Amino acid sequence: MSFSEGKKATRQRVIMTELALSPSVRTSELATRLGVSAETVRRDIEEMTRRGLVSRTYGGATGLQLGLQPGFQDRDATAVQERDTIARMAVRMVKPGDVLMIDSGSTTAHFARALAYSIDGLTVITNCLAVAQALAPQKKTRVVLCPGEFSAHEGGVYGPETCAFLDRFNADIAFIGASGLTPDGPNDVESGACWVKRKMLERAERRALLVASSKFNRRHLELVCRLRDLSDIVTEALPTGPMADALRISGVTLHVREDRLSEAS
Amino acid sequence: MSFSEGKKATRQRVIMTELALSPSVRTSELATRLGVSAETVRRDIEEMTRRGLVSRTYGGATGLQLGLQPGFQDRDATAVQERDTIARMAVRMVKPGDVLMIDSGSTTAHFARALAYSIDGLTVITNCLAVAQALAPQKKTRVVLCPGEFSAHEGGVYGPETCAFLDRFNADIAFIGASGLTPDGPNDVESGACWVKRKMLERAERRALLVASSKFNRRHLELVCRLRDLSDIVTEALPTGPMADALRISGVTLHVREDRLSEAS
DNA sequence: TCAAAAATTTTGGACATTCCACATTAGTAT
DNA sequence: ATACTAATGTGGAATGTCCAAAATTTTTGA
């Protein structure tokens, strides 16, 4: 009888579907709709809660509100302070009317939010949904979104379509992020993301890397480019050791600020 | 004593805050925490539900998920029921492995959410961010996002880039929405959106319009296409009068609610 | 095929929530 | 102050939910 998946799996899939359509479901309704007893539904919900799929409530369940992609903003929710400093510094590189390319990532998205209320008349080309959403409400900013395969994990689009599209534009400044920075240069875990970053760097006059100091000396799958291929690096703490040496030699402009000022007490 | 906002407003603000921290709140707990009777909390929740701020559940409330475009889902927060019925019916037109084009809009986004957990192996081409985000978490679904100028109001991309991009693809079914439907055909307030819809219809074998019956006989700026240019219309209530006549003549397949089915077998 | 294991339903009582009508209180305008 | 309206509290009946244990069905494995 059963061919592809068990009854339980089917039931739980229906629950997820139901939850995708409405913010909450009720045990009793599900029981009727699924033709099983309330107890069974309750057990399903309990199990799904354990697995982190839903959140149990009195009388039913609700989906987990994920503000965004799981792992996109959560990835380092602790680093808000650092990202904030970086974002503010990076904003100072931009002047009204500039054409920007902005990469996907939590740091660049934060930068975009800071940009939104600071500078007018921008044109922003991005492959990141969060960046687009941050900037678009500003009437005076034009946001161009790249095509490509959408990755929920990264919250952006990637692939040959993306690169080919970027190839048709010229920008004043490109802002890219990275999952690591070594003396060799910025690197990233995603190969698809690397190609997009490279293409952005290629099409822009100034080429800025936004990176938290916690990423220093972290080595990942693929090298995006050499240090000397960047024109600016924006970070919140001075690098040390080999990293500092490599930066000095590369001739990249380093934007750092240590003043730890908060919002008025 | 009171200077800025009334007690009720403060209470409801607390409820919203609480809801931002956890996916659901319980009436009883709120009552204790707020120092008011459960009945008052219940009345608050009821009012907030009417205003579309939260969703009432048995024993409490949950936030509305899919936190995206402000004004995107709000536009007609009341029509959830209708959209829900439409979404479920539309899902039944799709089979595993299909290539779909999905337009931007609240109805189509809802459809995408219903699709996400129902059908595997899809390829979806869309100009709508919400659609992409709804479908992308499904590993077995491929989501291709169109390029274009991003409109925060619509939550999607538009313009010549978008149309030119769509022109390169072929789809099994196109699902479009509309702000109005008259005997002439579907129409929309946004000219840019119309062009995208037309292009999607042009590139797909089956051409389905998802529209709530509340949109019947509403006339807006621009006609998207003729009725006969559509192959299917999915709605939740039978049209009447001239609208019904026009539909019969046009030869479009009409899908109206026939729900109340559970899975089983 | 049969028996053990797992999943599901049933049952019943304890407890929680809702709903509604009405009493009470707070807030506001006259 | 007075009268009026909105907001909140109270009580009890009706309904819904939870939980645990036992009975039943389905699935699994040899």
Side-chain angles (χ1 to χ4, degrees):
Chain A
M1 213 43 105
S2 64
F3 45 98
S4 55
E5 59 181 10
K7 287 183 186 171
K8 186 160 77 171
T10 305
R11 230 164 36 221
Q12 301 195 353
R13 171 187 285 258
V14 171
I15 295 177
M16 288 307 284
T17 307
E18 215 64 33
L19 228 30
L21 295 173
S22 134
S24 66
V25 291
R26 218 151 143 188
T27 307
S28 51
E29 287 173 6
L30 285 174
T32 308
R33 183 154 160 50
L34 293 168
V36 298
S37 73
E39 277 307 312
T40 299
V41 174
R42 205 167 284 123
R43 262 193 305 269
D44 279 334
I45 288 176
E46 198 183 342
E47 178 185 331
M48 293 167 83
T49 301
R50 271 201 309 277
R51 289 202 283 153
L53 295 174
V54 304
S55 171
R56 192 189 160 162
T57 68
Y58 192 98
T62 82
L64 311 164
Q65 62 216 25
L66 31 146
L68 276 192
Q69 281 56 54
F72 176 75
Q73 61 174 1
D74 284 349
R75 215 172 294 163
D76 46 358
T78 52
V80 276
Q81 189 70 45
E82 290 81 345
R83 279 210 297 269
D84 208 68
T85 308
I86 294 171
R88 287 173 201 280
M89 276 189 293
V91 166
R92 297 164 62 180
M93 296 178 61
V94 183
K95 61 181 194 305
D98 273 353
V99 176
L100 310 181
M101 288 184 176
I102 305 182
D103 182 30
S104 67
S106 52
T107 305
T108 49
H110 200 84
F111 164 61
R113 281 188 283 272
L115 210 50
Y117 295 94
S118 309
I119 301 185
D120 286 339
L122 297 174
T123 299
V124 175
I125 302 161
T126 186
N127 69 320
C128 178
L129 270 58
V131 168
Q133 289 173 332
L135 289 163
Q138 301 310 109
K139 304 298 179 211
K140 279 164 277 182
T141 296
R142 228 180 121 194
V143 178
V144 177
L145 202 59
C146 299
E149 297 245 355
F150 180 65
S151 154
H153 183 252
E154 303 296 320
V157 291
Y158 302 93
E161 299 280 6
T162 317
C163 293
F165 183 80
L166 283 169
D167 219 10
R168 307 199 342 247
F169 295 88
N170 292 300
D172 294 306
I173 320 183
F175 291 94
I176 69 166
S179 25
L181 179 64
T182 67
D184 288 333
N187 50 61
D188 204 285
V189 284
E190 275 290 331
S191 191
C194 287
W195 285 105
V196 171
K197 292 172 202 294
R198 281 186 207 114
K199 189 52 79 176
M200 285 187 172
L201 295 174
E202 184 185 322
R203 308 302 308 175
E205 199 158 320
R206 296 180 72 183
R207 303 163 301 282
L209 171 71
L210 309 188
V211 65
S213 63
S214 58
K215 309 288 181 63
F216 290 170
N217 297 311
R218 295 239 294 239
R219 192 177 300 276
H220 294 279
L221 178 67
E222 194 167 335
L223 190 69
V224 175
C225 64
R226 299 287 172 178
L227 279 182
R228 61 170 175 274
D229 295 326
L230 299 167
S231 68
D232 301 82
I233 291 181
V234 186
T235 188
E236 93 293 355
L238 278 167
T240 57
M243 192 69 241
D245 298 338
L247 281 172
R248 199 171 328 106
I249 293 169
S250 68
V252 178
T253 305
L254 196 59
H255 304 248
V256 191
R257 188 172 70 179
E258 312 121 51
D259 49 334
R260 187 138 310 283
L261 60 122
S262 56
E263 341 282 320
S265 64
Chain B
M1 219 37 112
S2 65
F3 46 96
S4 55
E5 58 181 12
K7 290 181 189 172
K8 187 160 77 171
T10 306
R11 227 165 36 222
Q12 301 194 354
R13 175 182 294 269
V14 171
I15 296 177
M16 288 307 283
T17 308
E18 214 63 34
L19 227 30
L21 299 174
S22 130
S24 67
V25 291
R26 280 184 74 158
T27 306
S28 51
E29 286 173 7
L30 285 174
T32 308
R33 184 156 164 25
L34 293 168
V36 297
S37 72
E39 196 58 40
T40 299
V41 174
R42 203 167 288 121
R43 276 191 278 248
D44 279 332
I45 289 176
E46 196 185 345
E47 178 186 330
M48 293 168 83
T49 301
R50 270 201 309 276
R51 290 201 282 152
L53 296 174
V54 304
S55 171
R56 193 188 161 166
T57 67
Y58 191 97
T62 82
L64 311 166
Q65 52 203 83
L66 73 71
L68 269 204
Q69 286 59 54
F72 175 76
Q73 64 166 358
D74 285 346
R75 217 172 291 161
D76 46 357
T78 52
V80 274
Q81 191 68 47
E82 291 82 345
R83 279 210 296 270
D84 209 72
T85 309
I86 294 170
R88 286 172 202 281
M89 276 189 294
V91 165
R92 299 168 60 178
M93 294 178 60
V94 182
K95 62 180 194 307
D98 273 353
V99 176
L100 310 181
M101 288 185 176
I102 304 182
D103 182 30
S104 67
S106 51
T107 304
T108 49
H110 202 81
F111 163 61
R113 281 188 283 275
L115 210 49
Y117 290 95
S118 307
I119 300 185
D120 286 339
L122 297 174
T123 299
V124 174
I125 302 162
T126 185
N127 69 321
C128 179
L129 271 57
V131 168
Q133 289 174 331
L135 289 164
Q138 297 314 106
K139 304 297 181 212
K140 279 166 272 182
T141 297
R142 221 179 128 196
V143 177
V144 176
L145 202 59
C146 299
E149 297 244 355
F150 180 64
S151 154
H153 182 255
E154 304 295 321
V157 292
Y158 302 94
E161 299 282 6
T162 317
C163 293
F165 184 80
L166 283 169
D167 220 8
R168 307 201 339 249
F169 295 87
N170 293 299
D172 295 305
I173 320 184
F175 290 94
I176 69 166
S179 23
L181 180 64
T182 67
D184 288 335
N187 50 59
D188 204 285
V189 285
E190 275 288 331
S191 192
C194 288
W195 284 106
V196 171
K197 291 172 202 295
R198 282 187 207 110
K199 187 54 76 175
M200 284 187 174
L201 295 175
E202 185 185 320
R203 307 301 310 175
E205 199 157 320
R206 294 181 72 184
R207 302 164 302 282
L209 173 71
L210 309 188
V211 65
S213 62
S214 57
K215 308 287 181 63
F216 290 170
N217 298 310
R218 295 236 297 235
R219 193 175 298 276
H220 295 278
L221 177 68
E222 193 168 335
L223 190 68
V224 175
C225 65
R226 300 286 172 180
L227 280 182
R228 62 170 174 275
D229 296 326
L230 298 168
S231 67
D232 300 82
I233 292 181
V234 185
T235 188
E236 93 293 356
L238 278 167
T240 57
M243 191 71 242
D245 298 337
L247 280 172
R248 199 172 327 106
I249 294 169
S250 70
V252 179
T253 304
L254 196 59
H255 303 249
V256 281
R257 65 178 318 175
E258 44 180 303
D259 55 352
R260 259 337 96 180
L261 298 189
S262 51
E263 329 314 285
S265 68

